Structure formats: structure tokens, C-alpha cells
Amino acid sequence: MISRRAFLASLQVQRRPNVVVFLSDDMGWADIGCYGAKDIKTPNIDRLAREGVKLTDCYSNGPVCTPTRCGLMTGRYQQRYGAGLEWALLPTNVNVGLDPKHATLPRLLKNAGYK
């Protein structure tokens, strides 16, 4: 017979939420249906917005995808990271990128038991 404490602990493990992250590069404000696009059909994204959360005030972390991805993965502004990620596309910049010792969202999720 399982103890009450063990049973409650197993329920807590089972209740861990799923984590799904959507990151869209190079998308304008009205490029999907739920924000007003008439020329592009996005029924699945529109359904997510209808049944979940629709954010209306969002800002880019940079003019290219690298700083935005850095901000998402580290939770920091790329300018504060100090690795030159806002200029990562320049071929002369060889000492750029995330420091492997820096905490990132994927690593934190993995350490918490997510796959």
C-alpha cells in the first residue's frame, strides 16, 4: 500500500505543466489572422490566440533574430550579456555567442526534469 505522502508527491509530479514556446522571426504586427491579416490564413495560430492568451503589446529585442533568441533563452537584454550578440552576423566578430556557463531556459528546464 502506498503512503499518503508518496501518493501526493506522485500527483505533484504528474501536475507539472507542459511548456511550449513559440518564437516567430521577421513577423510584422498584422501578419497573422488573429491580429488582422486578411491575405494570410493562420487558423491554428488564430485558435491558440482564441483559446489561450493573446498578447497585444510586444516588442522585438533586436532588428535580427540572434538578439531576440538570446533574450528568450537567457532572460536578459543581449546588450547586457556583453557577447556582441546584436552584431553576431558580422563575419569579423569571432568572439560572440552565449557563454556555456550562462544559465539558459533550455538548460533550466532540463535540470528540472523536462525533455
Side-chain angles (χ1 to χ4, degrees), residues 29 35 54-60:
W29 182 81
Y35 288 107
K54 181 178 171 187
L55 303 175
T56 58
D57 293 314
C58 302
Y59 302 93
S60 174

Side-chain angles (χ1 to χ4, degrees), residues 27-42 46:
M27 188 177 92
W29 182 81
D31 284 351
I32 56 177
C34 65
Y35 288 107
K38 303 289 184 211
D39 57 336
I40 302 170
K41 303 296 180 200
T42 57
D46 298 344

